[in-house]
């Protein structure tokens, strides 16, 4: 797995692989190594990470990777309604994370970042945590966010 030294979009993949007991190499990219990897379109087709190398192929896009691995290891339901709920939850996690990442990486200075965190904690976090709590309460089992076993949605939510 090729990614930065961050949790973010690489973490649900790592959590899934670890939970499934799959051995993998976690390659942390930074500086010149990232520039070289990004420039190689056979390894990094969209100039973005995460990228998973599997059987000599380079698989891109974090959501696609986690769904692929989820299918391989039994964490992505075959039932279309359950799959919809899993995808819905994963997309909601993505919606939650976007302003968090934007504040972390795009704030102009420490004061702007501090103000951004305060606003997120006041409005954003309670709103989305209420969504996650409602989803959990409505599920058949409160041990999992969707269904009655681990899915990629659990790994996405755990990675928040």
């Amino acid at each position: 797995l090729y990614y930065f030294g961050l949790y973010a979009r690489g973490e649900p993949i790592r959590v899934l692989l670890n939970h499934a007991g799959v051995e993998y190499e976690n390659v942390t990219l930074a500086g010149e190594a990232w520039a070289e990897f990004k420039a190689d379109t056979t390894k990094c087709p969209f100039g973005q990470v995460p990228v998973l190398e599997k059987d000599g192929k380079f698989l891109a896009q974090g959501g696609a990777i986690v769904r692929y691995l989820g299918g391989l290891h039994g964490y992505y339901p075959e039932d279309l309604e359950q799959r919809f709920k899993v995808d819905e939850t994963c997309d909601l996690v993505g919606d939650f994370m976007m302003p968090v990442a934007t504040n972390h990486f795009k704030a102009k200075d420490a004061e702007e970042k501090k103000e951004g965190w305060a606003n997120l904690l006041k409005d954003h976090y309670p709103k989305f945590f209420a969504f996650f709590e409602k989803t959990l309460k409505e599920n058949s089992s409160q041990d999992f966010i969707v269904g009655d076993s681990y899915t990629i949605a659990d790994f996405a939510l755990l990675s928040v």
Side-chain angles (χ1 to χ4, degrees), residues 33-48 51 58:
W34 163 234
E36 287 176 20
F37 186 79
K38 184 178 180 179
D40 186 344
T41 58
T42 60
K43 292 182 179 179
C44 191
F46 307 118
Q48 302 171 327
V51 169
F58 291 85

Side-chain angles (χ1 to χ4, degrees), residues 80-146:
L80 290 179
E81 189 171 317
Q82 288 290 299
R83 188 179 293 181
F84 171 83
K85 291 299 290 179
V86 165
D87 288 342
E88 179 181 58
T89 303
C90 289
D91 289 351
L92 188 62
V93 168
D95 291 346
F96 169 77
M97 289 303 296
M98 188 55 67
V100 173
T102 298
N103 185 67
H104 182 74
F105 292 109
K106 304 271 178 158
K108 295 179 185 126
D109 55 38
E111 187 60 35
E112 184 177 326
K113 189 177 279 192
K114 182 178 177 182
E115 184 178 319
W117 285 126
N119 290 333
L120 288 167
L121 288 171
K122 180 178 165 247
D123 299 319
H124 185 74
Y125 276 71
K127 173 184 162 182
F128 277 85
F129 284 7
F131 293 154
F132 297 134
E133 184 177 21
K134 181 178 185 288
T135 301
L136 184 61
K137 283 181 178 177
E138 291 174 353
N139 189 37
S140 58
S141 167
Q142 282 61 64
D143 292 331
F144 309 99
I145 196 71
V146 176

Side-chain angles (χ1 to χ4, degrees), residues 19 23 30 39-40 58 65 71 103 118 133-134 155-156 158 160:
H19 192 270
E23 287 188 31
D40 186 344
F58 291 85
I65 293 167
N103 185 67
E133 184 177 21
K134 181 178 185 288
F155 302 142
L158 179 65
V160 168

